[in-house]
């Protein structure tokens, strides 16, 4: 859909049904896709290595929890 549509923002869950969010990002990079601003939305705390690998894509990582929906609206 990135090739044919324009998006203002992508909210990416790292636990996708058929691949990880990290794999999705790698595929987008390999395809030369320019991504709109990206918010990573995860059910778990990310390791330092995982956060570093996301650094080139986003500055915003939201961990699912009690106040997550409020943070998404900020």
């Amino acid at each position: 859909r990135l090739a044919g549509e324009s998006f203002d923002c992508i909210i990416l869950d790292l636990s996708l049904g058929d691949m990880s969010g990290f794999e999705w990002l790698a595929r987008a990079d390999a395809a030369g896709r320019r991504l709109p601003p990206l918010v990573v939305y995860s059910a778990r705390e990310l390791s330092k290595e995982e956060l570093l690998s996301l650094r080139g894509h986003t500055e915003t990582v939201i961990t699912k929890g009690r106040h997550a929906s409020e943070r998404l609206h900020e």
Side-chain angles (χ1 to χ4, degrees):
R1 290 184 62 183
L2 286 174
E5 295 181 46
S6 176
F7 296 90
D8 295 325
C9 177
I10 294 175
I11 299 174
L12 177 65
D13 190 326
L14 295 178
S15 299
L16 302 173
D18 57 345
M19 71 180 83
S20 75
F22 292 103
E23 185 178 347
W24 185 88
L25 286 169
R27 287 183 181 191
D29 284 345
R33 299 281 182 239
R34 184 162 199 253
L35 297 176
L38 179 73
V39 175
V40 173
Y41 191 49
S42 178
R44 62 179 174 81
E45 292 291 326
L46 301 176
S47 71
K48 183 183 273 188
E49 293 79 20
E50 289 171 324
L51 288 170
L52 285 173
S53 72
L54 293 171
R55 185 180 224 168
H57 298 284
T58 186
E59 294 179 11
T60 307
V61 175
I62 298 175
T63 303
K64 293 178 184 178
R66 188 173 0 163
H67 301 288
S69 63
E70 291 95 9
R71 292 218 37 225
L72 283 172
H73 293 286
E74 291 179 356

